[in-house]
Amino acid sequence: MTSPIDVPDVSCYRRPSREELTLVNRSFDRWNVFGRTNRYVVLVADINGSSRRAVSLASQELADNIGGVKPYLAGLVVGELSRKKFFPTMAGADLFCRLSEARGKYYVEINYEAEKLATYGRDVFGTSVVRASTELKENEIVILINSRHEAVAIGITRYAGDMLRRSQMATITTTIDVGQYLRDEDS
Amino acid sequence: MACQGLAGEKFLKTVLFPETHDGEMLAAEFGYDPWLVERFLHYVPRPVDFLKKMDSAHSRYLRVNTLKTSSEALERRLTDKGFKLGRTALADVFSVQAGSISPGATTEYMLGLYYLQDLSSCIAVEALDVSKESCKAALDIAAAPGGKTSYIAQKMNNSGYIIALEPNSRRARSMAFNLARLGVANTCVTLLDGLAAGKLGRVFDRVLLDAPCSCEGVIAKDPSRKTSHTPGDVDYCSALQQKLIESAVSAVKPGGLLVYSTCSFAPEENEAVVQHAIDSCDFLKVEPFELGSEGLLEFGGHKFSKSLQGTRRFYPHIDDTTGFFIARLRHTGS
């Protein structure tokens, strides 16, 4: 997976196909935001030279008015579709976190120490996990949230269930974090 | 409605004044090329205070991103972290008076709860008089790095739409990072030059032209400009600005507003450019607004219309901002 905050080199933004919309809605359901993004319109854009597609949320007026303008970027890129999987971007994680009241299974709360480390791209240790669903399996994508329920990073679980909190080792691999905006911008 | 007679060829060449003893002394004391100081002596209020202020630490400001938080909530959070914030003329903007760490290194910054932006630059957006009700479509010309675009977006509460023009792909990429961090969803960035604004085939309720300029106003941040800046820079910029304002005017809807701004003190880049626009378009009127100092009515023997008093200049020693110029222009046509 490329860094999802990279600006995708896209051909053009368009409305999603039925299949794409189904995939996006299913993903929104996973993050507990299905039905909560209704003020926005889903747009997708083919990422040049690959089968990946950027998924963007745009205001209705923006979606209606980008015809004739070749956008470099349109709306808020909340994720990427690759094959049949949806990978959230950091901006997507942030929005899902703010829209989702129930949060749910795929949101993992970490302590302040881990939050600071995660914003430098460091992995999360079991002892730093404050709250995690025991239903989580290995290799699941999760949004890491702080005590204020703000998305600070996206990670992949290395362990399942209770082991996520119990292990003295790194139990979640951080793949993207909010600090990456600054690190990428500097590069 | 098109402007009559916008030719884009005649612009006010950089005015130079004979060297004086005072000018030479001040130029030597503060490390400027004399031509620049001689000009300051002709229009900057209290020039010695001005030159001193340009050599002192400039104030830092942050703009609250109300798409994600409120002024009160952010103030509490940053105060708890040891920051000392001060109120400004704008409710969304705080001055950063003290802090244990850089305001660009906090988690709150990374989360996009605020954006570091000079107060003067925020006032340019304030002058645009944007609200969810008044503005359904906005155009931001020469938009990178996106500070003003994102401020317009938050004033529109992510509704309506903004088209942001930025011809440089590297700057557009950096702008995209900022818009993503700040949660902006109503904006389209396109790699177009500002001169193409009229070719978009649509008109906008609000148009912002923060024109590329000689950056005299940020000498405090980049002292090398005291001697690297030349009259040729001002000539080049004012000619370009004149073409850009023509392009911007053609994209304003009747009844709509155009805000023209620069971070330069040079009257050739400011009042002269606005004068050119209102002379060429009889439907374009300067609309005064609060804050800052009045625009100039005369410079180096060149007279400007009385209405240009309604434009606004911002000086570091008076307003505690970077040097800035803002003109609010209303399209009064039907």
Side-chain angles (χ1 to χ4, degrees):
Chain A
M1 179 169 51
T2 58
S3 164
I5 62 159
D6 270 354
V7 181
D9 176 20
V10 299
S11 50
C12 69
Y13 285 82
R14 55 177 170 80
R15 303 291 171 119
S17 66
R18 186 186 293 188
E19 185 204 6
E20 287 166 335
L21 192 57
T22 303
L23 283 172
V24 169
N25 283 338
R26 205 176 288 157
S27 308
F28 284 2
D29 193 33
R30 172 194 165 100
W31 300 109
N32 281 349
V33 293
F34 179 71
R36 296 173 191 265
T37 60
N38 292 347
R39 68 169 289 205
Y40 302 113
V41 174
V42 176
L43 297 174
V44 295
D46 299 309
I47 297 173
N48 293 336
S50 76
S51 58
R52 291 157 38 230
R53 286 144 294 166
V55 178
S56 165
L57 288 180
S59 63
Q60 180 69 58
E61 296 87 345
L62 179 63
D64 291 343
N65 282 282
I66 54 173
V69 180
K70 188 175 183 298
Y72 173 80
L73 171 81
L76 188 67
V77 177
V78 293
E80 198 179 276
L81 282 174
S82 183
R83 295 187 185 88
K84 294 207 167 183
K85 279 197 165 173
F86 176 91
F87 299 96
T89 59
M90 206 54 242
D94 172 79
L95 183 71
F96 300 161
C97 218
R98 283 186 289 117
L99 292 177
S100 159
E101 287 165 13
R103 309 261 148 59
K105 180 178 166 183
Y106 297 103
Y107 293 86
V108 173
E109 189 181 329
I110 57 177
N111 66 17
Y112 181 63
E113 217 43 51
E115 174 190 347
K116 280 195 298 186
L117 292 169
T119 58
Y120 288 96
R122 302 281 292 277
D123 295 339
V124 177
F125 281 69
T127 47
S128 304
V129 175
V130 175
R131 189 177 58 82
S133 167
T134 52
E135 293 171 23
L136 281 168
K137 300 186 180 79
E138 256 182 81
N139 294 318
E140 301 244 48
I141 297 176
V142 291
I143 293 175
L144 301 172
I145 60 175
N146 62 13
S147 59
R148 296 175 186 268
H149 291 191
E150 293 161 327
V152 294
I154 296 170
I156 297 177
T157 57
R158 292 190 192 181
Y159 295 93
D162 276 351
M163 286 301 290
L164 271 177
R165 291 185 63 183
R166 285 202 191 155
S167 176
Q168 301 287 317
M169 312 190 22
T171 58
I172 300 170
T173 305
T174 301
T175 55
I176 319 160
D177 63 87
V178 286
Q180 205 161 336
Y181 284 118
L182 308 185
R183 297 197 297 275
D184 279 32
E185 201 173 15
D186 290 345
S187 67
Chain B
M1 185 195 291
C3 292
Q4 297 304 306
L6 275 177
E9 287 159 6
K10 284 195 302 179
F11 62 92
L12 180 56
K13 296 280 275 184
T14 309
V15 177
L16 297 173
F17 297 94
E19 288 190 10
T20 61
H21 177 69
D22 282 356
E24 276 183 56
M25 295 290 286
L26 288 169
E29 182 181 350
F30 292 99
Y32 285 81
D33 276 351
W35 72 272
L36 195 51
V37 174
E38 292 295 351
R39 285 166 50 88
F40 290 154
L41 292 177
H42 278 81
Y43 68 89
V44 175
R46 306 196 324 267
V48 177
D49 290 346
F50 165 77
L51 292 169
K52 281 181 183 164
K53 179 68 181 175
M54 293 286 268
D55 275 359
S56 62
H58 57 274
S59 292
R60 293 197 77 174
Y61 296 94
L62 63 84
R63 189 198 86 226
V64 182
N65 178 14
T66 55
L67 292 175
K68 292 191 177 188
T69 187
S70 67
S71 292
E72 298 74 21
L74 183 70
E75 186 176 21
R76 264 197 311 276
R77 267 179 88 154
L78 292 181
T79 303
D80 287 348
K81 282 200 162 180
F83 282 92
K84 188 166 181 285
L85 302 179
R87 293 271 164 191
T88 69
L90 304 185
D92 295 334
V93 183
F94 290 106
S95 63
V96 184
Q97 294 164 353
S100 49
I101 54 171
S102 161
T106 65
T107 305
E108 288 76 9
Y109 177 76
M110 295 176 204
L111 288 167
L113 303 187
Y114 63 88
Y115 185 79
L116 295 170
Q117 187 170 22
D118 194 77
L119 176 62
S120 56
S121 160
C122 296
I123 291 170
V125 175
E126 190 68 18
L128 206 54
D129 190 24
V130 173
S131 68
K132 199 175 163 180
E133 294 70 34
S134 69
C135 180
K136 300 292 177 213
L139 174 68
D140 188 356
I141 298 173
K148 294 185 192 71
T149 314
S150 55
Y151 195 18
I152 296 170
Q154 80 179 51
K155 282 178 172 285
M156 291 167 80
N157 194 26
N158 252 344
S159 65
Y161 76 100
I162 303 170
I163 292 184
L165 309 184
E166 177 48 58
N168 181 313
S169 61
R170 198 156 171 268
R171 284 169 60 81
R173 182 172 183 265
S174 147
M175 179 173 178
F177 284 152
N178 283 325
L179 297 182
R181 190 169 55 82
L182 297 165
V184 172
N186 68 343
T187 298
C188 154
V189 180
T190 184
L191 299 175
L192 279 177
D193 190 287
L195 296 173
K199 297 175 189 153
L200 287 168
R202 62 193 81 192
V203 285
F204 299 83
D205 300 304
R206 300 290 184 266
V207 176
L208 175 65
L209 169 57
D210 184 37
C213 67
S214 66
C215 299
E216 284 182 2
V218 292
I219 285 173
K221 290 179 182 173
D222 179 9
S224 69
R225 290 183 182 276
K226 289 179 176 183
T227 52
S228 65
H229 182 42
T230 69
D233 295 340
V234 180
D235 283 347
Y236 172 80
C237 290
S238 55
L240 174 63
Q241 288 152 354
Q242 199 160 286
K243 290 187 181 122
L244 282 168
I245 204 167
E246 293 171 18
S247 178
V249 168
S250 67
V252 186
K253 195 182 276 187
L257 276 175
L258 161 66
V259 163
Y260 172 82
S261 64
T262 74
C263 60
S264 174
F265 299 112
E268 297 87 341
E269 298 184 65
N270 297 326
E271 285 87 348
V273 174
V274 174
Q275 184 71 55
H276 165 77
I278 61 173
D279 283 351
S280 312
C281 312
D282 56 5
F283 58 81
L284 209 57
K285 301 281 182 259
V286 174
E287 210 169 79
F289 67 99
E290 298 297 312
L291 307 172
S293 310
E294 290 177 346
L296 304 179
L297 292 183
E298 186 275 337
F299 177 66
H302 296 271
K303 297 265 188 280
F304 301 121
S305 302
K306 193 164 185 337
S307 68
L308 264 76
Q309 251 177 336
T311 64
R312 285 292 179 267
R313 297 182 142 262
F314 293 83
Y315 296 106
H317 62 309
I318 298 172
D319 305 291
D320 198 20
T321 63
T322 55
F324 220 74
F325 172 86
I326 300 171
R328 175 158 73 182
L329 303 162
R330 175 78 66 180
H331 186 316
T332 59
S334 52

